[in-house]
Amino acid sequence: MTAEYQVHGDVAVITLANPPVNGLGLSTRQGIVDGLDRAQADAAVAAIVITGAGKAFSGGADIKEFGTDKALQQPNLHAVIAAIENATKPVVAAIHSVCMGGGLELALGCHYRLAAPGCSVALPEVKLGILPGAGGTQRLPRVVGVEAALNMIVSGEAVKSELIGAMPGQKLFDKMAPSPEALAAEALAFAQSVAAVRPLPLVRNLPCKHPEGDAYFQFARNMLKGMAKDYPAPLKCVDAVEAATKRKFADGLAYERELFINLMWTSESRALRHLFLAERAASKIPDVPADTPQRSIQSVAVIGAGTMGGGIAMNFLNAGIPVKMLEMKQEALDRGLATMRKNYEAQVKKGKLKQDKYEQRMALLSTTLDYADLKDADLVIEAVFEELGVKEAVFQQLDAVMKPGAILASNTSTLDVDKIAGFTKRPQDVVGLHFFSPANVMKLLEVVRGEKTAKDVLATVMAMAKKIKKTAVVSGVCDGFIGNRMIEQYGRQGGFLLDEGCTPEQVDKAMEKFGMAMGPFRMGDLAGNDIGWAIRKRRYQEKPDMKYSKTADLLCEKGRFGQKTGAGWYDYLPGKRDAIPNAEVVKMIEDHRAALGITPRKISDEEIVQRLVFSLVNEAAHILEEGIANKASDIDVVYIFGYGFPIYRGGPLNYANEVGLFNVVQAMKRFAQNPLDDAKFWQPAPLLARLAAEGKTFN
């Protein structure tokens, strides 16, 4: 059992004990019911307290049981709550630290609730594309009011217990404990004080009304239609809470259950649940056990004060870790510091950062022009120009000055980490840390594992990623790693679509309608078209048989490198990011098409989306087969957090699973027949072909 039972005087205490957050798995649910039965059968017990061990009351459903038979077995959470409501002795919930999802629904089923200050209270189910399924939409409005409850349910955000406790007229908490430490004693005393009170109060019996019901719920729907247009769950949350105000409790409960089950079957919920688990699984490396010793990271050095270097440094300053930044010239350091200050000051101006916090962070930063000053850093990250010769010079100097055991990291986005490690006498200490731009904002961190990277180095940087609030995914060594290797195929397809009849605007609009944060041409303008140009020039030498459209080269020959030059595939006004179509660019594409003797054709949005997305899928299948990525879900995490793939589609491989791998392969066979495309590329990767033939999925 993962629920413990003890008796203190005349009070029985049932303690949820399923770490880390006392998830309400089958064993825990059974333990609660067994404890209730035992307490009611004991004449010496007058009241019952339910609480949680460790650092949570309960975080809700046990994610280890997602998608398993155990999640469906009785007693389910509805049955547990019914057992509490029907208990013959008062049941008191003693809430602390974390009370979320099913944990809050469990507490709402108790006769009384006590809370410690500092407890995070939430119904976050909407973030998984569902709604509370064990009475949360029916009970919460009865204790905190309709509007406060709906705000909590449609946002999924946590509210601190002391804020709820201070709300006028709230009935969620019968009492607030003065401190977390005092909660246990307070709960025992309170349970004794209500032991003889009858009838036992039930949240379900409280009234639930809104004075302007119809108008309020219509207003809520209007607000959500624009904000949550790609997600069905928030509007269904409104329907469920409205039912609490208009139906009998039992009918509202049944309606909530119907909505919950329907949402569970939506592709959006499947995608969000997949991503929830994928993000947590990304930190697990098959051959690096969770108990692998870690190196201490108390100070960090950053080589390069440009956009990337400054952004990287800010991550560590935000986490309270001192940073020493190195540049070759004082002017470069001054520019970098000015940019960092500007970024922080913008946060202060928006109220996202307090002035004293800003000053504390900048006080942790020091600068130098001398490599010798970096010798005591535990971790050094180079963020210099993306050219192997430049990296070689940096790593040879680092190898000479850094202390033994220091971790040497490269922020390279495409280069061979094994070659970089080979520039040192300590390849076991070298790792790739590929931050995404802007590094102080983007959540993804690609951790590139070299052939000789030590396991304790990997364990250390994965833990460090959590500390600086990054989602880290491990990649093996190959050109472009996971994300950029795939995006090259995506970009190639974008070029072929221009040759065949599309405009940049048409392609971008189709992909943005699909849900991408921006289409390939707007993304190129943001990243800098000269970066892709440099990669293509390298490809022309290394892989002369690899086919590309020449339109991007023609664009770069005109100096149209993107937002940084105010002109790329689109025009940009100073200080603005709005992409303005340019007639000369369209004419350049048309002239090039004519020079190739291509008659343009009308291309549907569906074809645009399939060619671009399925190009990602096919390359990802090669990456998986080669062992560059550990698992399919890691690739989805890379594309969600690093490349703006729509969250509600769960990543390119989850999307391919939803479409059906057989259908993906059939589409690829059609694309291979197109003489203007790359037939060789559209041969399905062996892994993809095998899974499709066997009727399986990537996960």
Side-chain angles (χ1 to χ4, degrees), residues 310 313-314 317 325 336-344 362 365:
M314 287 175 73
L317 299 176
M325 185 178 280
L337 283 171
T339 301
M340 291 171 70
R341 287 191 181 281
K342 186 179 170 186
N343 287 336
Y344 276 134
M362 288 305 293
L365 179 68

Side-chain angles (χ1 to χ4, degrees), residues 155-435:
S155 72
E157 296 299 325
V159 181
K160 289 298 180 186
S161 51
E162 56 269 34
L163 294 178
I164 296 173
M167 286 165 52
Q170 69 83 24
K171 301 181 185 70
L172 176 55
F173 303 133
D174 295 280
K175 190 175 182 183
M176 290 291 297
S179 68
E181 295 75 22
L183 179 66
E186 290 276 338
L188 289 174
F190 183 85
Q192 289 169 331
S193 74
V194 297
V197 176
R198 297 295 184 276
L200 296 171
L202 295 175
V203 168
R204 67 188 296 154
N205 293 337
L206 295 173
C208 186
K209 292 291 175 192
H210 190 286
E212 305 291 336
D214 291 345
Y216 170 70
F217 288 114
Q218 191 53 52
F219 166 76
R221 289 186 180 95
N222 292 342
M223 289 291 289
L224 287 169
K225 272 176 188 170
M227 293 163 55
K229 62 184 175 67
D230 296 310
Y231 300 89
L235 285 168
K236 296 300 180 185
C237 291
V238 178
D239 293 346
V241 173
E242 183 179 36
T245 69
K246 294 185 174 181
R247 303 188 186 196
K248 291 179 181 177
F249 181 84
D251 294 340
L253 206 60
Y255 182 57
E256 175 196 80
R257 193 67 187 164
E258 178 189 330
L259 293 174
F260 174 85
I261 290 167
N262 288 341
L263 285 169
M264 284 283 286
W265 286 100
T266 62
S267 61
E268 292 86 355
S269 178
R270 286 196 297 271
L272 292 168
R273 283 180 280 137
H274 162 72
L275 191 59
F276 178 84
L277 296 172
E279 193 177 352
R280 282 147 186 79
S283 61
K284 295 177 174 63
I285 309 167
D287 64 333
V288 181
D291 60 355
T292 301
Q294 295 176 17
R295 303 186 188 185
S296 174
I297 304 290
Q298 299 299 320
S299 64
V300 172
V302 175
I303 314 291
T307 304
M308 282 305 297
I312 290 168
M314 287 175 73
N315 289 298
F316 293 96
L317 299 176
N318 296 349
I321 299 171
V323 175
K324 184 157 286 196
M325 185 178 280
L326 177 140
E327 260 293 356
M328 293 296 95
K329 295 182 179 177
Q330 187 62 44
E331 308 90 84
L333 276 176
D334 293 342
R335 274 197 308 274
L337 283 171
T339 301
M340 291 171 70
R341 287 191 181 281
K342 186 179 170 186
N343 287 336
Y344 276 134
E345 284 162 7
Q347 290 180 37
V348 172
K349 195 173 179 181
K350 290 174 184 173
K352 293 180 179 178
L353 183 69
K354 291 185 177 175
Q355 182 69 29
D356 61 335
K357 287 278 186 191
Y358 158 43
E359 289 165 5
Q360 284 170 23
R361 290 175 185 182
M362 288 305 293
L364 291 169
L365 179 68
S366 57
T367 60
T368 183
L369 300 173
D370 186 353
Y371 273 88
D373 291 339
L374 310 180
K375 63 182 171 55
D376 294 324
D378 299 307
L379 166 68
V380 58
I381 304 170
E382 68 77 12
V384 301
F385 187 67
E386 189 75 341
E387 200 274 314
L388 203 59
V390 179
K391 308 281 190 192
E392 180 175 9
V394 169
F395 274 83
Q396 284 177 346
Q397 291 191 74
L398 290 176
D399 194 31
V401 302
M402 301 304 294
K403 67 182 181 183
I407 296 173
L408 314 185
S410 173
N411 181 53
T412 179
S413 57
T414 56
L415 298 177
D416 188 330
V417 169
D418 289 331
K419 282 185 181 175
I420 293 171
F423 300 143
T424 75
K425 297 183 182 70
R426 47 173 110 179
Q428 73 281 359
D429 294 336
V430 177
V431 68
L433 293 180
H434 177 208
F435 289 81

